[in-house]
Coordinates of all heavy atoms in Angstrom, one line a residue:
A636 N 75.2 46.9 -144.6 CA 75.6 47.2 -146.0 C 74.4 47.8 -146.7 O 73.2 47.5 -146.5 CB 76.0 45.9 -146.7
F637 N 74.7 48.8 -147.6 CA 73.8 49.5 -148.4 C 72.5 49.9 -147.7 O 71.4 50.0 -148.2 CB 73.4 48.7 -149.7 CG 73.0 47.2 -149.5 CD1 71.7 46.9 -149.2 CD2 73.9 46.2 -149.5 CE1 71.3 45.6 -149.0 CE2 73.6 44.9 -149.2 CZ 72.2 44.6 -149.0
G638 N 72.7 50.3 -146.4 CA 71.6 50.8 -145.6 C 70.6 49.8 -145.1 O 69.7 50.1 -144.4
L639 N 70.9 48.5 -145.4 CA 70.0 47.4 -144.9 C 70.8 46.5 -144.0 O 71.9 46.1 -144.3 CB 69.4 46.6 -146.0 CG 68.5 47.3 -147.0 CD1 68.1 46.4 -148.1 CD2 67.2 47.8 -146.3
P640 N 70.3 46.2 -142.8 CA 71.0 45.3 -141.9 C 71.0 43.9 -142.4 O 70.0 43.4 -142.9 CB 70.3 45.4 -140.5 CG 68.9 45.8 -141.0 CD 69.0 46.7 -142.2
L641 N 72.1 43.2 -142.3 CA 72.2 41.8 -142.7 C 71.9 41.0 -141.4 O 72.8 41.0 -140.5 CB 73.6 41.5 -143.3 CG 74.0 42.2 -144.5 CD1 75.3 41.7 -145.0 CD2 72.9 42.0 -145.6
V642 N 70.8 40.4 -141.3 CA 70.4 39.7 -140.1 C 70.7 38.2 -140.4 O 70.2 37.6 -141.3 CB 68.9 39.8 -139.8 CG1 68.5 39.0 -138.6 CG2 68.6 41.3 -139.7
L643 N 71.6 37.6 -139.6 CA 71.9 36.2 -139.7 C 70.8 35.3 -139.2 O 70.4 35.5 -138.0 CB 73.3 35.9 -139.1 CG 74.5 36.7 -139.6 CD1 75.7 36.3 -138.8 CD2 74.7 36.4 -141.1
A644 N 70.3 34.4 -140.0 CA 69.3 33.5 -139.5 C 69.8 32.5 -138.5 O 69.1 32.0 -137.7 CB 68.7 32.7 -140.7
Q645 N 71.1 32.3 -138.5 CA 71.8 31.5 -137.4 C 73.1 32.2 -137.2 O 73.7 32.8 -138.1 CB 71.9 30.1 -137.8 CG 72.7 29.8 -139.1 CD 72.5 28.4 -139.5 OE1 71.5 27.9 -139.9 NE2 73.6 27.6 -139.4
P646 N 73.7 32.1 -135.9 CA 74.9 32.8 -135.6 C 76.1 32.3 -136.4 O 76.3 31.2 -136.8 CB 75.1 32.4 -134.1 CG 73.8 32.0 -133.6 CD 73.1 31.3 -134.8
L647 N 76.9 33.3 -136.8 CA 78.2 33.0 -137.4 C 79.3 33.7 -136.6 O 79.0 34.8 -136.0 CB 78.3 33.6 -138.9 CG 77.5 33.0 -140.0 CD1 77.7 33.7 -141.3 CD2 77.8 31.5 -140.1
P648 N 80.5 33.2 -136.5 CA 81.5 33.9 -135.8 C 81.9 35.2 -136.4 O 81.7 35.4 -137.6 CB 82.7 32.9 -135.9 CG 82.4 32.1 -137.1 CD 80.9 31.9 -137.2
G649 N 82.4 36.1 -135.7 CA 82.9 37.4 -136.2 C 83.9 37.2 -137.3 O 83.9 38.0 -138.3
L650 N 84.7 36.1 -137.3 CA 85.6 35.8 -138.3 C 85.1 34.7 -139.1 O 85.1 33.5 -138.6 CB 87.0 35.5 -137.7 CG 88.1 35.2 -138.7 CD1 88.4 36.3 -139.6 CD2 89.4 34.7 -138.0
F651 N 84.7 34.9 -140.3 CA 84.2 33.8 -141.1 C 85.4 33.3 -141.9 O 86.1 34.0 -142.7 CB 83.2 34.3 -142.1 CG 82.8 33.3 -143.2 CD1 82.1 32.1 -142.9 CD2 83.2 33.5 -144.5 CE1 81.9 31.2 -143.9 CE2 83.0 32.6 -145.5 CZ 82.3 31.5 -145.2
A652 N 85.8 32.0 -141.8 CA 86.9 31.4 -142.5 C 86.5 30.5 -143.5 O 85.6 29.6 -143.3 CB 87.8 30.7 -141.4
Q653 N 87.1 30.6 -144.7 CA 86.8 29.7 -145.8 C 88.1 28.9 -146.1 O 89.1 29.6 -146.4 CB 86.3 30.5 -147.0 CG 86.0 29.7 -148.2 CD 84.6 29.2 -148.2 OE1 83.9 29.2 -147.1 NE2 84.1 28.6 -149.2
D654 N 88.1 27.6 -146.1 CA 89.3 26.8 -146.4 C 89.7 27.1 -147.8 O 88.9 27.3 -148.8 CB 89.0 25.4 -146.2 CG 88.9 25.0 -144.7 OD1 89.4 25.8 -143.9 OD2 88.2 24.0 -144.4
V655 N 91.0 27.0 -148.1 CA 91.6 27.1 -149.4 C 91.0 26.0 -150.3 O 90.9 24.9 -149.9 CB 93.1 27.0 -149.3 CG1 93.7 26.9 -150.8 CG2 93.7 28.1 -148.6
G656 N 90.6 26.4 -151.5 CA 90.0 25.4 -152.4 C 88.5 25.2 -152.2 O 88.0 24.4 -153.0
S657 N 87.9 25.8 -151.3 CA 86.4 25.6 -151.1 C 85.6 26.6 -151.8 O 86.1 27.7 -152.2 CB 86.1 25.6 -149.6 OG 86.5 26.8 -149.0
S658 N 84.3 26.4 -152.0 CA 83.5 27.3 -152.8 C 82.2 27.6 -151.9 O 81.5 26.7 -151.5 CB 83.0 26.6 -154.1 OG 84.1 26.3 -154.9
L659 N 82.1 28.9 -151.7 CA 80.9 29.4 -151.0 C 79.9 29.9 -152.0 O 80.2 30.7 -152.8 CB 81.3 30.5 -150.0 CG 80.1 31.4 -149.5 CD1 79.3 30.5 -148.5 CD2 80.6 32.6 -148.8
A660 N 78.7 29.3 -152.0 CA 77.6 29.8 -152.8 C 76.7 30.7 -152.1 O 76.3 30.5 -151.0 CB 76.8 28.6 -153.4
I661 N 76.3 31.8 -152.8 CA 75.3 32.7 -152.2 C 74.1 32.6 -153.1 O 74.1 33.0 -154.3 CB 75.8 34.2 -152.2 CG1 77.0 34.3 -151.3 CG2 74.7 35.1 -151.7 CD1 77.6 35.7 -151.3
E662 N 73.1 31.9 -152.6 CA 71.9 31.6 -153.3 C 70.8 32.6 -152.9 O 70.6 32.8 -151.7 CB 71.4 30.2 -153.0 CG 70.3 29.7 -153.9 CD 69.9 28.3 -153.5 OE1 69.4 28.1 -152.4 OE2 70.0 27.4 -154.4

């Protein structure tokens, strides 16, 4: 994105699933 690679510090699946009603914080 925006010319910079997003490097995951730990592996995530190709499909990231978020349960209904949950909250993901980006700190």
